[in-house]
Amino acid sequence: MIPSTFEYHRPDDLAAVIALLQEHGDEARVVAGGHSLIPMMKLRMADPAHLIDLQGLSDLKGIEIGDVIRIGAMTTQAEIIDHDGLAEAAPIMAEAARQIADPQVRNLGTVGGNIANGDPGNDMPGLMQCLDARFTLVGPDGTREVAARDFYEAAYVTTREEEEVLTAVSFDRPRGGYAYEKQKRKIGDYATAAAAVQIVAEGGRVSAASVAMTNLSDVPVFSAAAGAALEGTACGEEAVQAAVAAMLGDIDPMEDNRGPVEFKKHVAGVILARAIVRAWSRA
Amino acid sequence: MKDLPDTEERKAGLKGLGCSRKRVEDARFTQGKGNYVDDIKMAGMLHGDFVRSPYAHARVKSINAEAALALPGVIAVLTAKDLEPLGLHWMPTLAGDKQMVLADGKVLFQGQEVAFVVATDRYIAADAVDLVEVDYEDLPVVVDPFKAQDPDAPVLREDLEGVTEGAHGPRRHHNHIFTWEAGDEAGANAAIDGAEVVAEETIYYHRTHPCPLETCGCVASMDKVNGKLTLYGTFQAPHVVRTVASLLSGIDEHNIRVVSPDIGGGFGNKVGVYPGYVCSIVATIVTGKPVKWVEDRMENLMATAFARDYWMTGRIGATKDGRITGLHAHVTADHGAFDACADPTKFPAGFFHICTGSYDIPAAYCAVDGIYTNKAPGGVAYRCSFRVTEAAYFIERMIEVLAIKLGMDAAELRAKNFIRKEQFPYTSALGWEYDSGDYHTAWDKALKAVGYEALRKEQAERVEAFKRGETRKLLGIGLTHFTEIVGAGPVKNCDILGMGMFDSCEIRIHPTGSAIARLGTISQGQGHATTFAQILASEIGISADKITVEEGDTDTAPYGLGTYGSRSTPVAGAATAMAGRKIRAKAQMIAAYLLEVHDDDLEWDIDRFVVKGAPERFKTMAEIAYASYNQAIPGVEPGLEAVSYYDPPNMTYPFGAYICVMEIDVDTGEHEIRQFYALDDCGTRINPMIIEGQVHGGLTEALAIAMGQEIAYDDIGNVKTGTLMDFFLPTAWETPHYTTDHTETPSPHHPIGAKGVGESPNVGGVPAFSNAVHDAFRAFGLTQTHMPHDHWRIWKTARDLGLHG
């Protein structure tokens, strides 16, 4: 539990961060809250020679609420939970953040770190699929936006270039009812299965539905088919089961200490059904 | 005439027995001012770290330390070859086996110590570990204790090839360690074979780990000028460590000082001797500099002493109306690569033969086979007396299994078979003499407290509602009535490495009426500095606030066998009371002289000796203490000191009644504990607040074990649960509310009637939680499913019973 030797950098603007990334290439990693990277360094599963701390970049913090919601990458999970405007505009954010780890971790752990790390166990990536978010990446060649649904390629592999920094996430103000449902073994654990659901109701029927799942594949899973199964229905038992069946076609869980594949699939179905029922009740 | 303070006021001022006195230790702990091993820093101190085996079974073909030694700051890399000339490449275990200190030709479990790196800095040591190149050739791995007994199973312990006689009798296979038995097998079989009803079941108590918050570690410091070795470490038995260190190193015992500073939890994990201690001692002798070794969490979980791993097969016979007639138990015990159980020497399966529990079973027999596998060594008593939690789990499950077979209520079955109050002292079929108990009173109180009949009615309604599809949650009522056996032990039966399991207390009363007491035990969070002062306060009439309790320094404390198996109160607590009585006897002589009366004309009154019939004539203990130092009293030595070494005449037998009410979600396998009621009878209660704290802590560890905590291995011996992500350690979030209660049945042979309580809640808690899970599914045909009852295993139980439609 002792990391390898590394050089610590704490620049105070983004240009300096990018310059350091250019200088050190794949020997450098940026660190935000550190709750994923530092344990990996202690296990020597990651051994960056240069660690670039983003805590000095106050520009990367903050939540802007409008028709589009923009959250700076260095915003902590605790700040997500405590933000009144966000609670009104996108309550699913706080509902999910409250289910991440424990208060100490949430005080340091950031939205950007959770998203950029590419760990399929993290909750924000799945939630971002559900919200159809865009990620802002800044690199030597300027700024670009990538759709959350195009960002994840495999476990810990994303479309972010080595010299790019994820600076913000943005998404349209979500409409309708919402739910983030998560089963975990204990506080601090990754999900056995988690589901993010947004449902818009019109005239007693589902007019739009978005469904995403966490920790049930090597990437977060956006299940367009599950959403489609709900649309046009009155969100009754049959529709919920159709959505569950569709979702099961999109996930690919692996056996681990949480249980075998068969169990995970069953729980994924139960958790999604609960999330849909709760989201519908709020729609 | 002096004013006589009110009797009750004087008594309360002592803060003696029965007082919920606040823990004197907490001032430093709550301010972060404790002094743990890793807080110790010495000038020029070096740091040790281990190269550990990634394989569970492999031949070590070569070790190349060149690159590590070339790293600036690296002082040495020790291997078995370096220790061999000192005879320290292997060390004896507490169980009569021997264990490699560093891999000698092969490794036998993942995480085994292969080389010890010593460097000037903790970080350099860790870097150097990565630079040591070890060439392994993997060997076939055995992680199943049954497969280990196949005729063609790989030979794990090549050092024992051809050795047919082990420390505990004949070995019948190359991976067999011992067979140990108790009771009359023919008698038990006859009783069961002739019984009207027989229930049989195999019950697995899985491998887990004590996981104290502070991991194991030490600082060894050899002073080459005066030849003295000082060893600070996480030791639950510092005096035994000193003796072992002397025997192993050849250093005279008076030249070794062992100190246990503050210890952050032990739970049995810190009883044994680990390679880190031996390597640190060798390294300090070689370098002449202090050497610190502190393991990390993963090393602690992977390589230090595990607990449990007992496969228990039981047969129990009864009459049709539920009177138990006989019990037969066989255990296959997975001991890992070396037999390093911490048990009294004569008991390789600890006190497993308490497995008749709280019941009057006329015929019983048990046998335990110890087996080697490619897993970490250990088998310690994790917050229980030696193998008692296994025994309690076994019998409390067997009772439930029998109740199912009989179609009988499990509470009624228990009450029908309890040892009755008038049968104590009671000798069990397996040879124990239970000192005292009143099980029916405790049981009735517990059932009434939870509203047992109403709960059963609610449960039956729930089952119907479930069948109608109105709910997906089941209700389980987990019952347990456990009997512990603690306080090892009579020296005639119990020793560790030949050291009789007595304990000790030495008291000095200072001239101004305060005192210091030193004991052979060592607190790891139990609050000895608080409670032993209370025992003494009641004995000698000096307020507990004026008594310092010190433990853990072998240069100052009297010899004792340490703290584990709930033995501190039964043994050292008794020594404290007895030493206090010696003080009082001398004080009486001094008081008689001062008051110019005969000794027999005095009577003891809380904190003073009073002339019988003349209450205005008295001497307080403070006055007597002063006189003992400043007056020449004919025939009496100056000073006021006493020491007592106490050899208990018997163990003590705390007991309790626990009831857990649990909701289970059959679709996700999640559970919610709706109610937990714990009634403990630990005899005389010294500090009710500390007892309550002990019960809360022990129940939470029991919750962990029953509901998720395990050390799991894959087929090739990789530890699957080596971090706290996967090894379940409950936080406040997972911990339910507990309701505590008590009855008080003093031990007749203990000077103050106390029995010990620290481990009862683990012993009773595990079956209570597990029985609740089983009970929830009883209506659907479940008899037995193994712990830990984590989400997927509960889900699997529901699925196998067809509850997922």
Side-chain angles (χ1 to χ4, degrees), chain B residues 61-361:
Chain B
K61 295 177 76 179
S62 67
I63 300 174
N64 182 347
E66 265 177 51
L69 287 166
L71 189 70
V74 174
I75 306 293
V77 178
L78 300 177
T79 66
K81 282 203 177 80
D82 302 306
L83 301 184
E84 192 171 0
L86 306 167
L88 290 175
H89 56 318
W90 288 72
M91 63 180 183
T93 70
L94 296 179
D97 194 3
K98 57 179 183 164
Q99 174 179 353
M100 290 180 208
V101 173
L102 291 170
D104 182 20
K106 70 189 287 198
V107 288
L108 286 156
F109 64 94
Q110 189 182 48
Q112 187 179 333
E113 299 82 358
V114 174
F116 189 66
V117 173
V118 183
T120 52
D121 177 284
R122 180 70 188 87
Y123 287 79
I124 294 171
D127 288 344
V129 164
D130 275 1
L131 295 174
V132 177
E133 291 167 25
V134 185
D135 187 13
Y136 298 98
E137 177 189 306
D138 58 338
L139 295 168
V141 173
V142 187
V143 290
D144 179 326
F146 298 98
K147 287 182 186 159
Q149 298 175 72
D150 288 347
D152 57 351
V155 176
L156 303 189
R157 291 289 299 275
E158 288 164 6
D159 59 297
L160 296 178
E161 262 191 303
V163 177
T164 55
E165 193 71 19
H168 307 285
R171 300 173 66 223
R172 54 170 169 68
H173 180 277
H174 52 260
N175 293 327
H176 178 250
I177 309 170
F178 63 83
T179 299
W180 181 86
E181 55 186 349
D184 168 12
E185 183 167 27
N189 279 337
I192 297 164
D193 293 343
E196 292 169 347
V197 178
V198 178
E200 287 189 54
E201 197 53 70
T202 294
I203 291 152
Y204 180 45
Y205 197 148
H206 60 290
R207 178 175 280 234
T208 183
H209 193 281
C211 195
L213 284 187
E214 179 204 28
T215 60
C216 298
C218 69
V219 178
S221 178
M222 184 77 198
D223 184 330
K224 290 206 166 180
V225 175
N226 62 20
K228 285 197 183 276
L229 171 70
T230 304
L231 184 63
Y232 299 90
T234 47
F235 308 131
Q236 288 182 240
H239 300 272
V240 180
V241 168
R242 186 186 70 191
T243 302
V244 172
S246 174
L247 293 171
L248 286 181
S249 67
I251 300 170
D252 283 344
E253 202 165 353
H254 75 283
N255 275 334
I256 301 177
R257 177 183 171 214
V258 175
V259 182
S260 294
D262 283 331
I263 297 183
F267 312 115
N269 187 239
K270 294 169 180 169
V271 172
V273 172
Y274 293 120
Y277 307 152
V278 178
C279 289
S280 300
I281 292 171
V282 171
T284 187
I285 292 172
V286 171
T287 63
K289 293 189 171 167
V291 177
K292 177 188 277 187
W293 166 75
V294 177
E295 65 187 4
D296 68 28
R297 175 64 56 202
M298 291 176 71
E299 292 178 295
N300 179 256
L301 285 172
M302 203 192 287
T304 63
F306 75 93
R308 329 300 192 224
D309 217 347
Y310 259 33
W311 287 92
M312 306 177 284
T313 299
R315 285 207 307 145
I316 191 164
T319 60
K320 270 186 283 190
D321 63 352
R323 179 81 205 136
I324 300 170
T325 54
L327 177 72
H328 186 288
H330 179 266
V331 179
T332 298
D334 185 338
H335 284 230
F338 307 98
D339 187 10
C341 285
D343 291 315
T345 306
K346 293 186 192 112
F347 299 97
F351 303 155
F352 183 77
H353 46 318
I354 192 73
C355 66
T356 53
S358 307
Y359 311 102
D360 181 16
I361 301 179

Side-chain angles (χ1 to χ4, degrees), chain B residues 510-651:
Chain B
H510 304 315
T512 53
S514 62
I516 183 166
R518 294 188 170 106
L519 292 93
T521 44
I522 175 70
S523 184
Q524 306 125 41
Q526 290 88 342
H528 289 176
T530 307
T531 50
F532 287 135
Q534 291 181 250
I535 295 176
L536 208 46
S538 287
E539 292 291 341
I540 64 174
I542 290 175
S543 170
D545 289 343
K546 292 189 172 183
I547 301 170
T548 297
V549 173
E550 234 182 55
E551 304 170 298
D553 185 336
T554 59
D555 265 9
T556 56
Y559 204 100
L561 270 281
T563 295
Y564 43 85
S566 289
R567 65 185 300 281
S568 296
T569 294
V571 190
T576 304
M578 299 309 272
R581 287 171 195 181
K582 289 182 185 176
I583 296 277
R584 214 162 82 186
K586 183 171 177 182
Q588 187 166 2
M589 290 193 274
I590 296 168
Y593 171 80
L594 297 173
L595 291 163
E596 298 178 341
V597 296
H598 190 272
D599 291 3
D600 294 342
D601 293 332
L602 294 174
E603 61 188 358
W604 177 249
D605 178 34
I606 301 168
D607 58 355
R608 63 195 58 186
F609 279 104
V610 180
V611 177
K612 287 176 186 166
E616 74 286 357
R617 295 188 63 210
F618 62 84
K619 287 289 171 191
T620 65
M621 196 50 132
E623 291 170 319
I624 295 165
Y626 196 66
S628 76
Y629 286 92
N630 80 347
Q631 294 209 25
I633 301 169
V636 178
E637 284 180 12
L640 195 51
E641 298 188 9
V643 59
S644 171
Y645 282 76
Y646 188 80
D647 177 9
N650 189 5
M651 314 265 185

Side-chain angles (χ1 to χ4, degrees), chain B residues 18 28 134 285 323 345 441 444 513 581 664 683 728 734 764 789:
Chain B
R28 68 178 188 277
V134 185
I285 292 172
R323 179 81 205 136
T345 306
T441 298
D444 292 345
R581 287 171 195 181
I664 285 177
F728 177 39
E734 291 86 13
H789 305 298

Side-chain angles (χ1 to χ4, degrees), chain B residues 509-805:
Chain B
I509 311 293
H510 304 315
T512 53
S514 62
I516 183 166
R518 294 188 170 106
L519 292 93
T521 44
I522 175 70
S523 184
Q524 306 125 41
Q526 290 88 342
H528 289 176
T530 307
T531 50
F532 287 135
Q534 291 181 250
I535 295 176
L536 208 46
S538 287
E539 292 291 341
I540 64 174
I542 290 175
S543 170
D545 289 343
K546 292 189 172 183
I547 301 170
T548 297
V549 173
E550 234 182 55
E551 304 170 298
D553 185 336
T554 59
D555 265 9
T556 56
Y559 204 100
L561 270 281
T563 295
Y564 43 85
S566 289
R567 65 185 300 281
S568 296
T569 294
V571 190
T576 304
M578 299 309 272
R581 287 171 195 181
K582 289 182 185 176
I583 296 277
R584 214 162 82 186
K586 183 171 177 182
Q588 187 166 2
M589 290 193 274
I590 296 168
Y593 171 80
L594 297 173
L595 291 163
E596 298 178 341
V597 296
H598 190 272
D599 291 3
D600 294 342
D601 293 332
L602 294 174
E603 61 188 358
W604 177 249
D605 178 34
I606 301 168
D607 58 355
R608 63 195 58 186
F609 279 104
V610 180
V611 177
K612 287 176 186 166
E616 74 286 357
R617 295 188 63 210
F618 62 84
K619 287 289 171 191
T620 65
M621 196 50 132
E623 291 170 319
I624 295 165
Y626 196 66
S628 76
Y629 286 92
N630 80 347
Q631 294 209 25
I633 301 169
V636 178
E637 284 180 12
L640 195 51
E641 298 188 9
V643 59
S644 171
Y645 282 76
Y646 188 80
D647 177 9
N650 189 5
M651 314 265 185
T652 61
Y653 296 75
F655 61 93
Y658 291 177
I659 299 173
C660 172
V661 183
M662 192 185 286
E663 300 266 358
I664 285 177
D665 183 328
V666 298
D667 291 321
T668 61
E670 292 169 301
H671 69 271
E672 184 194 341
I673 289 144
R674 198 170 86 180
Q675 184 181 3
F676 198 105
Y677 171 87
L679 179 151
D680 274 282
D681 192 319
C682 58
T684 303
R685 290 155 58 84
I686 299 164
N687 182 321
M689 186 185 67
I690 285 186
I691 291 172
E692 194 174 330
Q694 286 274 31
V695 172
H696 282 214
L699 287 175
T700 304
E701 284 183 324
L703 167 82
I705 294 167
M707 306 311 292
Q709 185 179 86
E710 65 174 325
I711 295 290
Y713 289 83
D714 69 12
D715 290 344
I716 55 168
N718 293 309
V719 179
K720 292 163 67 183
T721 51
T723 75
L724 295 186
M725 176 64 85
D726 288 313
F727 184 85
F728 177 39
L729 210 58
T731 67
W733 184 265
E734 291 86 13
T735 303
H737 175 78
Y738 303 118
T739 304
T740 55
D741 202 349
H742 67 278
T743 55
E744 197 161 335
T745 312
S747 169
H749 64 76
H750 187 279
I752 62 165
K755 289 187 170 186
V757 75
E759 304 177 325
S760 290
N762 195 320
V763 170
V766 172
F769 289 113
S770 181
N771 282 346
V773 173
H774 285 90
D775 184 67
F777 292 106
R778 179 174 167 172
F780 300 92
L782 179 70
T783 304
Q784 174 64 24
T785 184
H786 298 314
M787 294 190 293
H789 305 298
D790 54 5
H791 296 170
W792 87 263
R793 287 180 174 98
I794 288 183
W795 173 86
K796 184 175 181 299
T797 297
R799 186 198 61 176
D800 292 350
L801 294 170
L803 303 185
H804 292 151

Side-chain angles (χ1 to χ4, degrees), chain B residues 464-543:
Chain B
E464 291 313 309
F466 183 91
K467 286 177 177 167
R468 290 193 301 269
E470 293 163 14
T471 179
R472 297 295 291 162
K473 284 190 178 174
L474 297 175
L475 185 67
I477 304 163
L479 304 175
T480 288
H481 189 287
F482 66 92
T483 297
E484 257 260 69
I485 169 169
V486 306
V491 169
K492 64 178 191 290
N493 292 331
C494 295
D495 69 271
I496 285 186
L497 293 177
M499 298 294 121
M501 294 180 74
F502 58 84
D503 230 289
S504 58
C505 176
E506 183 189 282
I507 302 166
R508 283 184 209 170
I509 311 293
H510 304 315
T512 53
S514 62
I516 183 166
R518 294 188 170 106
L519 292 93
T521 44
I522 175 70
S523 184
Q524 306 125 41
Q526 290 88 342
H528 289 176
T530 307
T531 50
F532 287 135
Q534 291 181 250
I535 295 176
L536 208 46
S538 287
E539 292 291 341
I540 64 174
I542 290 175
S543 170

